[in-house]
Amino acid sequence: MAVSPQVFPPRKRRPSAGAFIPPKFSDQRLLQTLLELSQEISSLKPLQFLLKRNSSSILRKTKILAILFEELLKNPILFLSPTLLCFEEMYLVLQRIKTLLEDCVNGSKMWLLMQSDSVANKFHELTVELATLLDIFPVKEVGISEEVEELFLLLRKQCSTDKVFVDKRDYNLRHDVLTMIDRIQKEIVPNHTKLAVIFYLLGFSSSLSCKEEIENLEEEVQNQKDEKSKSDLIALIGLVRYVKCVLFETSTPASDTRRKSLASDVNVPADFRCPISLDLMRDPVVVATGQTYDRESISLWIESGHNTCPKTGQTLVHSNLIPNRALKNLIAMWCREQRILFETAEGNRRTNRVIKNKAALEANKMTVSFLVNKMSASRSMEEVDGVIYELRALAKTSSDSRACIAEAGAIPVLARFLGPDIGSEFPDLQVNAVTAMLNLSILEANKTRIMENGRAFNGVIEVLRSGATWEAKGNAAATIFSLSGVHSYRKRLGRKTRVVKGLMDLAKSGPTSSKRDALVAILNLAGDREAAGRLIKEGVVDMINEVINEMPEEAAAMLEMVVKRGGIVAVAAAYNAIKKLGVLMREGSEIARESAAATLVTICRKGGADMVAELASIMGIERIIWELLGSGTMRARRKASILLRILRRWAAGLDDDFFYGHSTAATASSASSTTMVLPA
């Protein structure tokens, strides 16, 4: 029975020829192992579309070897040292044959086509090595039947006369693909009929098969070390992506009949999610404030001109990103337990963002132009849904793609599909449209395009307020977060009552993932004093009290920002949260304890003796603070030290001193009085 290609687990790095060592088995055990290995290889089917003759030839030879090993096992004899050495070397050759076939089956067809001469030569080299071993094998001395001996001699003759074979069909196909890429580089749109023939001969028959090929090519980029090979692969990715869109029906997640396990399909622990993207972190790094983010997300944040920590709002004293290897190892272990392809997902940090290739860029432009025109002209909502899903996926790949899509005029067209009429009838279409807008908004120039296009801007707000699904509302909130990365837009968004109310409602009543989107957006808006005032007026502190048990880290960070930016009104509103912050400081995660301590410092400094008295009334508060002093982060220890000093001065009745010039009487007399705050 033939072994399915799926038996081969995907590999990021291929073992080298020297990676295998012969097993130290007894004579019989070694023969049994050789028989099982040769049977496993010979049960495979020849390659279907490329190198078919090469693979068929080596599989036939392996079948004869299996017959030989089976015969030898029937008549056990004492093997001499040269024979054992020959068997050990055969084991190595068979392992390399299996590895070569495995790579051809599992890898990218397009890259295999580009390397067909080299791979054909590898098949020949293995056959030559096999011929050498067969020449020294003492066939007359091992006592096999005449029929098997005849097969053996035939095999030895075939191996010794084997020549390198390069299929002319494969050669012509490769020439056609390279010609196509060259024409794309010259901005000549490929002939679709010719493309269809090429991809049919390579075995691509659907959008899904093209999607899998793109994933294989992206993994192959990670295998390459030289820039030329990476650049060639990126050109192939551009071509396959173009073909996927223009030759086959556009796909949506529901039409993907076989999907790899993704982090989005399971409940990811909060500590493993990036606070910016809310996705599973692939490369966690620590910034100057001690907070951890995914490298890709925080790099984009810093490259966009921000010099603050997105979660705490503190100014970053430097922009160094320190790898959090311990957390990365924990995430990798969790992914293995959940059967999530952590390495593959990590490879999806699209390297074409770094390596520029003219053909890939032009193919991208052609793909985008085709999709935007199709989206504009189509009257079928099902077809539009598929097109927008493709744009959504493409916008996630690179800055170049985001720029191409926006320059092709996609934003005004996408805005048509954000309205409640679309949401009520085609909820998935609305989700895809707002998610595409979210992915486009990552690019700084696109933030301006969205904010200046009234229909797009209002459409995102409308989805936030009345989206058909929680997913649509959550992605609208994430878009608000992305847009608020620009200070002037943050102020503008913070003045919109619909935005504030929409985020607050989502944070109160949405599911966990949508709540998190809303809370992160609110946290960003709260960085502006005017927006913070509006949030307080709308009851943000009460909302934080409601969600602090469910999402302690986000709630604590938000309360810290609100009391810092919102003045005495926010401090007064936070009175009822003091005890909850005390509990959080004792039982919360490291990040939550740090935010809770920082928030309590601000509340006590600005709020006066009543606030300190409320803190002091928490049972065992000094012990909690001492524990934080001993085991918290550097910032947490600093805040705990300040809290301890405040409590002791309050207990000694030194009101005017410990508030650093901010007495209770002064606080009550003027809500607008300034506060001297120690450096964070």
Side-chain angles (χ1 to χ4, degrees):
M1 180 178 164
V3 178
S4 165
Q6 279 71 37
V7 299
F8 293 133
R11 267 200 317 263
K12 293 272 295 180
R13 293 285 183 270
R14 296 170 174 79
S16 64
F20 300 109
I21 57 173
K24 299 301 179 183
F25 290 150
S26 64
D27 299 352
Q28 290 296 108
R29 184 73 186 89
L30 179 57
L31 261 180
Q32 184 64 41
T33 301
L34 286 169
L35 174 61
E36 291 169 358
L37 182 56
S38 57
Q39 286 177 334
E40 181 183 354
I41 295 169
S42 58
S43 67
L44 300 173
K45 291 181 179 178
L47 301 177
Q48 294 183 31
F49 302 102
L50 298 169
L51 299 158
K52 189 169 185 178
R53 177 169 160 179
N54 305 81
S55 60
S56 297
S57 174
I58 208 157
L59 286 172
R60 283 197 302 271
K61 293 176 175 63
T62 309
K63 285 178 182 178
I64 295 176
L65 283 176
I67 294 171
L68 171 66
F69 297 138
E70 189 173 16
E71 177 79 4
L72 290 171
L73 279 170
K74 290 177 182 176
N75 303 293
I77 63 171
L78 181 66
F79 294 113
L80 302 175
S81 295
T83 309
L84 282 174
L85 182 62
C86 181
F87 284 164
E88 288 175 354
E89 291 299 318
M90 277 189 183
Y91 173 85
L92 297 181
V93 172
L94 287 173
Q95 284 287 10
R96 291 169 61 194
I97 290 171
K98 178 186 174 185
T99 299
L100 181 58
L101 289 168
E102 177 183 353
D103 285 341
C104 292
V105 169
N106 267 341
S108 156
K109 293 177 186 175
M110 295 293 287
W111 188 240
L112 183 61
L113 177 63
M114 295 299 108
Q115 306 297 309
S116 56
D117 287 0
S118 171
V119 176
N121 197 54
K122 287 179 182 177
F123 276 108
H124 174 66
E125 288 173 359
L126 288 169
T127 304
V128 170
E129 288 186 37
L130 195 56
T132 303
L133 294 173
L134 295 176
D135 280 342
I136 65 172
F137 184 77
V139 64
K140 298 293 185 181
E141 301 172 17
V142 293
I144 57 176
S145 66
E146 291 184 6
E147 293 84 354
V148 175
E149 184 177 341
E150 286 179 8
L151 283 174
F152 175 87
L153 295 173
L154 176 63
L155 173 62
R156 186 163 66 184
K157 182 179 179 180
Q158 288 177 344
C159 289
S160 61
T161 58
D162 189 79
K163 305 291 182 185
V164 178
F165 175 77
V166 177
D167 196 320
K168 188 175 181 180
R169 172 184 173 278
D170 295 353
Y171 175 85
N172 291 336
L173 262 179
R174 183 177 62 195
H175 177 267
D176 290 344
V177 170
L178 291 173
T179 301
M180 199 73 70
I181 289 175
D182 184 61
R183 288 173 65 82
I184 288 174
Q185 189 168 336
K186 295 173 181 175
E187 303 180 29
I188 301 172
V189 177
N191 180 285
H192 289 186
T193 303
K194 184 70 174 175
L195 271 181
V197 171
I198 291 171
F199 275 70
Y200 171 77
L201 292 174
L202 285 169
F204 298 106
S205 57
S206 67
S207 175
L208 180 59
S209 62
C210 288
K211 178 184 175 184
E212 291 170 349
E213 175 66 9
I214 291 169
E215 291 172 354
N216 287 334
L217 285 167
E218 286 169 344
E219 289 184 14
E220 192 63 54
V221 173
Q222 305 301 313
N223 293 334
Q224 303 302 318
K225 293 181 179 179
D226 65 290
E227 297 302 298
K228 175 66 169 59
S229 295
K230 289 184 177 182
S231 181
D232 292 343
L233 281 159
I234 287 163
L236 291 173
I237 291 171
L239 175 63
V240 178
R241 188 173 282 132
Y242 176 76
V243 169
K244 175 178 181 283
C245 293
V246 302
L247 291 187
F248 303 110
E249 288 295 320
T250 49
S251 66
T252 59
S255 65
D256 290 351
T257 55
R258 183 173 66 84
R259 299 173 64 196
K260 293 180 180 177
S261 180
L262 300 173
S264 57
D265 298 331
V266 296
N267 187 23
V268 178
D271 289 342
F272 293 174
R273 288 183 181 272
C274 173
I276 296 175
S277 67
L278 306 177
D279 292 330
L280 181 72
M281 287 188 278
R282 310 297 180 181
D283 188 6
V285 292
V286 181
V287 297
T289 59
Q291 302 294 333
T292 297
Y293 301 93
D294 196 37
R295 183 184 295 276
E296 182 177 357
S297 298
I298 193 64
S299 295
L300 280 172
W301 173 265
I302 293 171
E303 288 166 10
S304 298
H306 300 95
N307 66 343
T308 58
C309 172
K311 193 158 187 179
T312 67
Q314 291 177 276
T315 300
L316 297 173
V317 295
H318 61 75
S319 58
N320 297 336
L321 303 177
I322 317 292
N324 191 336
R325 293 189 176 89
L327 180 59
K328 186 174 183 178
N329 289 337
L330 287 173
I331 294 173
M333 289 171 59
W334 179 82
C335 284
R336 283 195 293 272
E337 290 171 1
Q338 299 294 328
R339 299 182 180 272
I340 293 172
L341 301 178
F342 179 67
E343 290 184 350
T344 300
E346 185 179 39
N348 284 344
R349 288 181 288 150
R350 319 291 184 180
T351 51
N352 56 338
R353 197 182 287 123
V354 178
I355 302 168
K356 302 295 181 183
N357 180 285
K358 180 69 161 56
L361 183 60
E362 293 304 324
N364 231 17
K365 289 180 179 177
M366 291 175 187
T367 304
V368 167
S369 177
F370 174 84
L371 289 172
V372 173
N373 290 336
K374 188 174 181 180
M375 178 173 62
S376 302
S378 179
R379 296 186 178 183
S380 163
M381 286 301 176
E382 287 77 10
E383 187 175 62
V384 169
D385 188 23
V387 171
I388 293 179
Y389 176 72
E390 293 292 346
L391 287 171
R392 163 188 171 172
L394 189 57
K396 199 173 182 180
T397 60
S398 69
S399 294
D400 287 337
S401 296
R402 289 186 276 275
C404 285
I405 293 170
E407 288 163 6
I411 288 174
V413 184
L414 284 170
R416 300 177 194 167
F417 306 102
L418 297 175
D421 53 331
I422 295 294
S424 60
E425 199 167 348
F426 305 99
D428 290 342
L429 173 54
Q430 188 185 59
V431 169
N432 284 328
V434 75
T435 309
M437 202 73 79
L438 166 62
N439 294 342
L440 289 173
S441 73
I442 295 170
L443 187 68
E444 201 73 9
N446 288 348
K447 288 179 171 60
T448 302
R449 289 186 172 103
I450 294 170
M451 293 296 291
E452 291 181 352
N453 184 293
R455 188 169 186 178
F457 176 54
N458 289 318
V460 171
I461 298 174
E462 184 61 39
V463 175
L464 173 67
R465 294 285 289 142
S466 58
T469 64
W470 290 118
E471 184 182 1
K473 290 181 177 183
N475 287 346
T479 307
I480 297 295
F481 166 77
S482 177
L483 295 173
S484 65
V486 177
H487 182 68
S488 59
Y489 299 155
R490 185 187 308 164
K491 294 180 75 70
R492 182 177 166 189
L493 288 162
R495 293 192 192 108
K496 293 278 185 183
T497 303
R498 288 189 303 151
V499 171
V500 172
K501 282 184 174 294
L503 292 173
M504 297 273 285
D505 290 344
L506 185 60
K508 288 177 183 177
S509 56
T512 301
S513 59
S514 299
K515 277 183 192 289
R516 190 174 285 110
D517 289 321
L519 291 175
V520 173
I522 292 170
L523 178 62
N524 221 28
L525 292 182
D528 176 70
R529 289 190 182 279
E530 185 180 343
R534 187 176 293 275
L535 286 165
I536 293 161
K537 184 179 178 181
E538 294 295 333
V540 70
V541 177
D542 291 337
M543 181 272 290
I544 292 171
N545 276 325
E546 289 180 25
V547 302
I548 196 167
N549 293 330
E550 181 183 355
M551 310 184 73
E553 289 185 11
E554 292 83 355
M558 190 187 309
L559 190 57
E560 179 188 354
M561 181 67 75
V562 168
V563 297
K564 187 184 294 183
R565 293 282 188 266
I568 196 64
V569 176
V571 173
Y575 181 84
N576 292 329
I578 291 175
K579 280 189 165 57
K580 290 186 177 181
L581 290 170
V583 172
L584 201 58
M585 203 161 53
R586 182 180 65 238
E587 300 175 355
S589 66
E590 193 172 78
I591 295 172
R593 293 169 73 201
E594 178 186 307
S595 292
T599 307
L600 286 169
V601 167
T602 305
I603 290 173
C604 289
R605 281 178 174 169
K606 292 187 176 183
D610 288 345
M611 298 295 186
V612 184
E614 181 70 7
L615 176 63
S617 70
I618 298 174
M619 186 175 294
I621 186 62
E622 283 208 20
R623 182 175 179 179
I624 293 169
I625 294 172
W626 276 110
E627 287 176 356
L628 193 58
L629 274 168
S631 61
T633 64
M634 186 178 295
R635 181 171 180 249
R637 292 199 297 269
R638 192 165 63 245
K639 297 297 182 183
S641 177
I642 297 171
L643 276 179
L644 195 59
R645 189 161 62 245
I646 287 174
L647 283 172
R648 288 181 174 178
R649 289 178 180 273
W650 171 82
L654 302 175
D655 294 8
D656 291 335
D657 188 16
F658 83 87
F659 291 124
Y660 301 91
H662 194 77
S663 68
T664 308
T667 301
S669 65
S670 175
S672 62
S673 62
T674 58
T675 306
M676 177 186 271
V677 180
L678 289 179

